[in-house]
Amino acid sequence: MMLAGLDVGGTFTDAALVDPVSGRCLASVKAPTRPDTVLPGVLEALERLFRENADLNPGKVKRLTVSSTLGLNALLTNKTRPVGIMALPGPGIDPALFWRPDPLLRILPGAQDHRGRVTAAPDKKSVTEALETLKKLGAVALAIVCKFSPKNPDLEKELAVQARLIFGPDTPIVLGSETSGSLNFPRRMHTAWCNAALYAISREFSDALKKAAQNLGLVCPINILKADAGSFSAAHAITDPASTMGSGPAAGLLGILAMSKRPQTNADSKIFERTDQYMIDMGGTSTDIALLAAGEPLLARKGLNVGGRPTLIRTLWTRSIALGGDSALRVRAGEVCIGPDRSGPDLSLQGEGEVPALPPPTLTDVFNILGLASISDVQMSRQALRRLLADPDCPQTITKESPDPEKQTEALAKLFLDTALARIKEETLDFLREINAQPVYTIRELLVDKKIAPQGVIFIGAPAQALRSELEKALGLPVKAPLESPFANALGAALAKPTQAVELYADTLLGRLTIPDFNVEKKINAAYRLEDAQADMAQAFAAAFRDEKAVNSDADLQVQTVFAESFAVFDPSGQRGRILRIRSQYAPGLALEREE
Amino acid sequence: MRETQPDKTSDQFSAPRAVHSLGLIFFPAFDWAISPSHPEREERLLYTQDQLREEGLFDIPGISEHRPELADFSDISRVHFCPPGFARVAEVPHLASAGSAISAGHLVLSGTCDKSFALTRPPGHHAMKVVQGGRGFCAVNIEAVMLERLRKDYGVRRVAIVDTDCHHGDGSQDVYWHDPDTLYISLHQDGRTLYPGSGFSNELGGPQALGATINIPLPPRTGDAGFLLASKEIVKPVLDAWKPELIINSAGQDNHFSDPITDMHLSARGYAEMVKTINPDIAVLEGGYSIQGALPYVNLAVILALAGMDFSRVIEPAWREDLAATSPDCMDYIGRLRDKTLEIFQRPGQSATGYRREKGGFVRERDIYYDTDGISEQQSENLRDCPNCPGLLIIRTRTSYSDWTICIHIPRSACPACAAAGEDRKREAERKHEAWEFSDQRNDIYLRG
């Protein structure tokens, strides 16, 4: 059996077939990505993958997972269609403050409180008026979001019924409660908006993909990669396209994770198995840091931010530093500066009629001079750095140390390298501090004080091989730089497994249980306990992922409980009951099969 | 990894911005209760947490949430004498709650935030200088523990505590009773109608700190207008005249019209207006037991007020104009209270009530009841009549369960003579094999024997 992965990048669309036991790439192709449309590249890559590898039977593909920039591009280039948003905020902060001036945002009366009790009924007349206005303004999709709807979706559903009457059966109507079970009303508004805006594009893509797969003889399930480094079915992606935005970094992380697990690149793979690790990716203009916690990609506490919209989309927790191989090096007032810009002809220094000034040297020049790499002509690198030595702003310590210009150049190069490594170290530690400074809400957590403590670093990107031992010295941690494949992202997509994180809310006094992400609503009685809720949660996961059973190992579909809380509740009326809150998940990771 | 980063933001959608940066310590102690059905139980801040999260509050630039630290016994010994031993009286939750307050203090004094608010439990303002047990849901005075730590770490001196809990903060008043550097102002429901039955206008501070305690007992059913009158025309001018370096608000939320154990008429927006007027640097949650109908809204409104943001839409579902109203009679009463209080503040007089002079000192005898633990305490207090400093304080204390303990307190600004007298008294206690506790605030030394 095989896994297929497909990644849409800015320049190329890559496809790969992967062996699910070793995680090795069996076949791969690159097709150009068209600047304004994703689908042709996807279809070409898929078609060529099987045509050029006729020995590999498409019937043996267990799953195809696609990581695409479709949704993100549509959003960033404003190619989405107009969405009307109906918000029922009730008391609190004015939701318009989290939005922008938008005639398609309608704030309506009607409210629910923190337990999901309706405290003010919506006004039928103003709802109808709002819907008619939205229709007149050209809205072709709707998002309906009520505060505290994850605890009780009734008001949203009531409004959806009214909306159907006015907008007809074919208009996409997205409810906040279906979007996410997390409590954050402004983010739920933005996420529901994204889902409504991307619905049509996502449906078209999904249909085309299915047709193409059929034509190629692919009979397997098709999944779409998400920002949380997991995947879900293409059918699910139609109603929740927002989650597929920002899947690029997730594909990359999974790919590198797969490559770093390969036996030939590391003899000490066991150390990296279930421990905390930094993942540092040094590119041309930036260095990105991510974390693996006990071997699993660490997800951010807050959701993805797309096009300025804060959402509830689960995503990797990363930090980006404006420092990379192409970062411009300068001297200013006796200090060395790196970046934040990429080196290029410095037009600011160029007067009229003058010869264009030479671009400042880069960190790559420094690697060349110090013999860490030989990427381009070392002499050119030395000349570039020597220009800085002639600058009166150059640190005095360098020029005073030795009269030999060669030695001065090397000393300056060393200073730049040390400064860059110090920046990376400082940001890495600060990132870890940020992660470990999460608030806690119980005495137990305050006493246990569980913290993430990375044991090593997986280092990738063009300068990784050259800088590996230098970074090891700087961070004081073992650093490994796995050999990279140009198909890392496609490989990562292929090896993604299904993920989901959901909340359950149960209130025995109100007799109500909801699992918003799975659209589960249920009546419960006074005897309902945490054990019952956990059983209901497991059942809901099993029902929602029934189709995935055939494709995934049981180990991949383990429901993890993130937290499970039970509160004894005493109503002002004197009634006793229980409020339960559970968050459970399928965590991201690699869908590697165990060797027989 | 490439392209999008989770925090690539554009200005297209900007969240409302806090005018004053505000650090929040939210520590609901979700795994602790005094007893399962006690008002001080796990559920107390549950709805508040849901409300704050659902509002998207932590996405607002300038509002941040921070992890609390755990206070230790040395922090508590800076404030309290505790003859039974801290381990018998203070549990981990009290250390966590005091630690939350300390963390909130650090946020402001270190310059990380303009203001801070510790939403923590259990409360502390009924815990007095001597702690023999639990009183009014409190065992450790969390504001005092924070303040003494801040004085040690940052050298702040003149500090005002404005207590807006519905109950008189008799503990905070007692801790700072003899301290002329700490102005304690309490707004509360009149002690003739509510626990703990103290906090009258004539309680003005000890003999050497007269005027550093101000009590504003408000009549039952005081609403938004009444509280606003009291805070704008009493608290504000007193603060302006006294000029503290730091203002701490003991932010109890039981003046709310829906609170089950009090009888006041304040609304969420009324609370916010009051906080805006007092303009504290640090707020610490105290009581408040209408956990569904009041706390989610009052906390939200107070947070917005501290951050300098609009709170006009924070209208609790049960709100009606008459529920937050103040009667004309009540307004008149508060007007007279204002005139009297301001007059007393300007001329606090020469002698504190309840003291007799005895051999170069001021003496007072008291009985204190610990309602949480059912303990009766007998206290005899002796303050050295010193012209140069607040004076050496010696408290003799015993309870129904324990024999006399001699508590010796050398204040921060003690003169050499008072300090020497304190050292002498400690040696005498050792010689006589008395039980003793010794606190030297000047050198941050706390001993017991």
Side-chain angles (χ1 to χ4, degrees):
Chain A
M1 296 304 270
M2 297 175 286
L3 293 168
L6 199 142
D7 176 69
V8 181
T11 322
F12 291 108
T13 298
D14 299 343
L17 285 169
V18 180
D19 173 45
V21 177
S22 66
R24 285 168 139 282
C25 200
L26 302 172
S28 54
V29 295
K30 271 186 190 293
T33 302
R34 295 221 195 137
D36 51 351
T37 169
V38 166
L39 203 55
V42 168
L43 300 182
E44 187 191 332
L46 265 186
E47 192 263 332
R48 274 181 42 207
L49 182 67
F50 292 102
R51 183 160 46 86
E52 291 172 15
N53 300 281
D55 53 321
L56 299 170
N57 176 5
K60 290 217 158 166
V61 175
K62 222 166 68 159
R63 175 170 58 208
L64 164 66
T65 307
V66 179
S67 164
S68 142
T69 49
L70 179 82
L72 190 66
N73 288 348
L75 209 83
L76 295 181
T77 55
N78 287 322
K79 280 193 187 133
T80 56
R81 303 169 76 198
V83 175
I85 177 153
M86 314 259 286
L88 281 74
I93 302 172
D94 181 1
L97 296 176
F98 290 94
W99 213 255
R100 58 181 174 190
D102 183 355
L104 294 176
L105 169 65
R106 296 279 137 182
I107 295 172
L108 297 165
Q112 294 181 147
D113 76 354
H114 41 76
R115 280 175 71 191
R117 291 172 298 198
V118 177
T119 53
D123 170 36
K124 274 228 155 96
K125 212 180 124 222
S126 50
V127 171
T128 308
E129 272 171 24
L131 286 165
E132 273 161 0
T133 310
L134 289 176
K135 199 171 180 188
K136 221 178 290 164
L137 292 172
V140 294
L142 285 180
I144 300 171
V145 189
C146 177
K147 206 174 268 180
F148 290 110
S149 63
K151 299 210 174 183
N152 179 9
D154 289 355
L155 282 191
E156 288 180 355
K157 287 183 176 167
E158 203 180 306
L159 260 65
V161 172
Q162 263 182 282
R164 274 273 166 259
L165 295 175
I166 292 173
F167 276 82
D170 297 326
T171 305
I173 298 175
V174 175
L175 304 188
S177 55
E178 298 165 355
T179 304
S180 169
S182 298
L183 292 181
N184 191 318
F185 180 65
R187 282 181 184 262
R188 202 156 60 247
M189 282 170 65
H190 282 297
T191 316
W193 183 94
C194 289
N195 277 343
L198 298 172
Y199 183 88
I201 297 169
S202 169
R203 150 142 262 157
E204 191 190 335
F205 182 69
S206 197
D207 288 348
L209 203 57
K210 214 155 85 189
K211 221 169 105 194
Q214 267 169 1
N215 290 343
L216 291 169
L218 276 171
V219 289
C220 63
I222 300 173
N223 275 16
I224 309 289
L225 195 71
K226 301 188 293 174
D228 71 354
S231 71
F232 59 3
S233 71
H236 196 162
I238 296 173
T239 56
D240 188 10
S243 296
T244 68
M245 292 191 288
S247 65
L253 183 133
L254 289 174
I256 299 307
L257 194 56
M259 286 183 287
S260 71
K261 280 190 197 246
R262 275 193 204 149
Q264 73 269 29
T265 54
N266 60 312
D268 53 349
S269 66
K270 279 222 174 66
I271 305 171
F272 288 87
E273 201 64 17
R274 305 298 303 169
T275 58
D276 301 341
Q277 300 286 326
Y278 287 115
M279 213 149 166
I280 301 180
D281 178 355
M282 190 186 257
T285 49
S286 75
T287 298
D288 298 324
I289 314 167
L291 257 166
L292 297 172
E296 286 171 8
L298 187 72
L299 300 178
R301 286 179 68 220
K302 289 183 174 178
L304 185 72
N305 207 314
V306 265
R309 287 177 187 271
T311 70
L312 288 168
I313 300 161
R314 288 212 309 169
T315 187
L316 299 172
W317 202 335
T318 58
R319 167 158 312 184
S320 195
I321 319 167
L323 184 154
D326 301 335
S327 289
L329 306 183
R330 295 187 183 89
V331 287
R332 268 185 209 128
E335 306 256 350
V336 295
C337 310
I338 305 172
D341 57 324
R342 168 193 281 264
S343 172
D346 199 337
L347 298 173
S348 64
L349 296 177
Q350 193 183 329
E352 213 169 308
E354 279 178 40
V355 183
L358 287 162
T362 65
L363 269 185
T364 306
D365 290 321
V366 164
F367 304 153
N368 276 343
I369 293 164
L370 296 176
L372 297 168
S374 45
I375 292 163
S376 55
D377 186 353
V378 179
Q379 280 316 312
M380 292 282 281
S381 293
R382 285 183 175 274
Q383 277 169 20
L385 220 64
R386 232 172 266 151
R387 286 198 297 275
L388 295 185
L389 282 172
D391 195 310
D393 272 352
C394 187
Q396 296 275 314
T397 46
I398 300 288
T399 40
K400 274 187 185 158
E401 203 169 282
S402 158
D404 179 3
E406 290 297 307
K407 282 199 174 137
Q408 286 183 358
T409 311
E410 267 162 45
L412 184 61
K414 185 79 177 53
L415 183 60
F416 273 114
L417 178 68
D418 290 345
T419 307
L421 291 169
R423 266 284 294 292
I424 294 174
K425 180 179 184 177
E426 185 191 321
E427 291 275 356
T428 304
L429 291 177
D430 190 65
F431 180 48
L432 186 66
R433 258 195 301 277
E434 178 194 328
I435 286 166
N436 280 332
Q438 286 182 73
V440 294
Y441 303 115
T442 59
I443 306 286
R444 191 181 54 78
E445 289 170 296
L446 195 62
L447 291 177
V448 173
D449 201 15
K450 192 175 164 286
K451 298 233 159 117
I452 288 174
Q455 307 291 304
V457 181
I458 301 171
F459 188 27
I460 54 172
Q465 301 294 339
L467 272 189
R468 195 199 63 82
S469 67
E470 297 295 326
L471 188 69
E472 197 162 75
K473 269 183 260 165
L475 295 180
L477 288 172
V479 175
K480 96 179 151 173
L483 291 170
E484 286 178 70
S485 141
F487 295 95
N489 285 35
L491 181 82
L495 288 169
K497 60 178 197 168
T499 53
Q500 176 76 287
V502 308
E503 267 88 5
L504 173 149
Y505 301 100
D507 187 323
T508 65
L509 283 175
L510 300 174
R512 185 168 51 221
L513 174 146
T514 54
I515 310 177
D517 295 86
F518 290 146
N519 216 347
V520 171
E521 254 191 286
K522 184 177 151 175
K523 282 197 162 48
I524 52 169
N525 62 26
Y528 196 82
R529 289 288 179 277
L530 202 56
E531 304 85 81
D532 304 315
Q534 269 168 326
D536 275 332
M537 187 67 124
Q539 213 183 343
F541 264 94
F545 288 88
R546 192 169 292 131
D547 297 344
E548 301 280 358
K549 278 266 179 222
V551 188
N552 290 279
S553 68
D554 289 347
D556 287 344
L557 298 182
Q558 284 288 329
V559 179
Q560 280 181 3
T561 304
V562 182
F563 61 77
E565 298 167 328
S566 170
F567 293 89
V569 170
F570 295 78
D571 229 26
S573 65
Q575 266 190 302
R576 289 168 176 230
R578 211 161 276 284
I579 284 181
L580 312 172
R581 303 197 297 195
I582 302 181
R583 184 178 168 91
S584 299
Q585 64 172 357
Y586 285 157
L590 292 178
L592 282 176
E593 284 172 17
R594 244 178 246 139
E595 261 167 284
E596 303 287 305
Chain B
M1 280 180 271
R2 56 173 161 77
E3 283 146 23
T4 49
Q5 287 300 321
D7 273 306
K8 193 191 275 179
T9 49
S10 86
D11 296 318
Q12 240 183 341
F13 293 93
S14 50
R17 187 169 279 277
V19 177
H20 315 291
S21 66
L22 174 66
L24 297 176
I25 308 285
F26 183 79
F27 189 71
F30 277 152
D31 51 354
W32 178 80
I34 289 183
S35 68
S37 61
H38 194 279
E40 204 42 76
R41 62 178 183 267
E42 297 92 337
E43 183 195 358
R44 189 168 160 230
L45 290 172
L46 177 62
Y47 311 105
T48 295
Q49 185 184 52
D50 282 353
Q51 189 76 39
L52 300 185
R53 283 182 172 168
E54 180 72 344
E55 294 294 339
L57 192 81
F58 302 108
D59 287 330
I60 295 174
I63 296 185
S64 52
E65 190 182 6
H66 304 261
R67 192 189 181 103
E69 65 186 80
L70 208 55
D72 59 33
F73 287 151
S74 72
D75 289 312
I76 299 178
S77 63
R78 225 169 264 132
V79 170
H80 294 297
F81 292 118
C82 186
F86 292 125
R88 295 276 296 276
V89 173
E91 297 174 71
V92 177
H94 301 106
L95 299 176
S97 190
S100 301
I102 291 173
S103 297
H106 284 320
L107 285 175
V108 172
L109 273 284
S110 68
T112 310
C113 305
D114 298 337
K115 291 177 186 292
S116 66
F117 184 13
L119 291 99
T120 186
R121 54 178 286 267
H125 75 150
H126 294 303
M128 297 184 166
K129 182 82 198 162
V130 175
V131 173
Q132 294 275 15
R135 301 183 68 249
F137 316 167
C138 306
V140 171
N141 196 303
I142 57 178
E143 289 90 345
V145 168
M146 165 182 75
L147 175 51
E148 293 317 308
R149 173 72 173 273
L150 296 182
R151 281 184 162 140
K152 173 180 169 280
D153 289 353
Y154 301 94
V156 275
R157 198 171 71 93
R158 275 172 86 80
V159 177
I161 300 174
V162 183
D163 191 328
T164 51
D165 190 279
C166 190
H167 302 87
H168 176 233
D170 54 350
S172 303
Q173 171 170 308
D174 186 69
V175 169
Y176 290 111
W177 187 247
H178 297 294
D179 183 358
D181 286 336
T182 308
L183 174 66
Y184 177 74
I185 307 174
S186 180
L187 284 160
H188 50 266
Q189 185 178 326
D190 195 308
R192 287 167 294 191
T193 61
L194 191 70
Y195 178 89
S198 54
F200 299 103
S201 302
N202 65 345
E203 296 167 31
L204 295 167
Q208 313 257 62
L210 279 172
T213 296
I214 302 282
N215 279 295
I216 308 169
L218 297 169
R221 294 183 284 284
T222 297
D224 288 359
F227 272 97
L228 224 57
L229 173 63
S231 45
K232 279 197 171 136
E233 297 185 19
I234 311 176
V235 180
K236 187 79 186 5
V238 167
L239 287 174
D240 288 347
W242 203 77
K243 295 189 176 59
E245 296 161 42
L246 189 73
I247 300 175
I248 298 166
N249 178 207
S250 290
Q253 307 191 341
D254 38 8
N255 286 301
H256 194 261
F257 61 78
S258 68
D259 197 274
I261 56 180
T262 62
D263 191 15
M264 295 300 242
H265 279 184
L266 197 55
S267 72
R269 284 172 297 164
Y271 254 112
E273 282 292 349
M274 181 164 72
V275 167
K276 202 171 141 186
T277 308
I278 297 167
N279 193 20
D281 301 290
I282 303 163
V284 178
L285 179 67
E286 279 290 333
Y289 300 96
S290 171
I291 61 178
Q292 296 193 34
L295 262 58
Y297 309 101
V298 177
N299 277 315
L300 175 61
V302 166
I303 287 168
L304 293 175
L306 287 169
M309 295 174 62
D310 173 43
F311 48 79
S312 63
R313 287 170 192 248
V314 187
I315 305 170
E316 48 286 67
W319 182 87
R320 284 198 324 260
E321 197 158 10
D322 59 305
L323 290 176
T326 314
S327 71
D329 284 356
C330 189
M331 289 300 279
D332 286 349
Y333 181 94
I334 299 168
R336 289 196 298 279
L337 192 63
R338 168 196 56 204
D339 301 342
K340 189 169 122 192
T341 310
L342 291 178
E343 194 191 312
I344 294 174
F345 174 68
Q346 275 144 19
R347 278 182 293 279
Q350 293 304 307
S351 61
T353 48
Y355 285 85
R356 63 172 195 272
R357 299 193 73 115
E358 205 177 279
K359 287 184 272 178
F362 300 93
V363 176
R364 154 170 99 153
E365 318 280 347
R366 285 196 300 168
D367 290 325
I368 292 158
Y369 184 63
Y370 293 81
D371 52 271
T372 309
D373 296 324
I375 295 169
S376 293
E377 182 195 9
Q378 195 186 340
Q379 255 189 34
S380 166
E381 197 185 278
N382 189 318
L383 181 75
R384 195 165 179 267
D385 183 5
C386 180
N388 303 318
C389 77
L392 171 72
L393 177 68
I394 294 179
I395 305 168
R396 295 174 74 236
T397 166
R398 73 168 173 187
T399 69
S400 23
Y401 300 99
S402 66
D403 209 350
W404 291 106
T405 301
I406 315 299
C407 304
I408 304 152
H409 175 69
I410 302 174
R412 207 174 312 107
S413 48
C415 66
C418 280
E423 300 277 358
D424 283 349
R425 186 65 187 86
K426 176 173 144 259
R427 277 190 291 274
E428 184 193 331
E430 281 171 321
R431 206 169 52 240
K432 290 184 179 166
H433 300 291
E434 291 172 307
W436 56 269
E437 292 197 26
F438 176 79
S439 129
D440 179 355
Q441 277 191 330
R442 295 171 319 156
N443 300 306
D444 201 35
I445 293 171
Y446 308 94
L447 304 167
R448 56 189 297 155

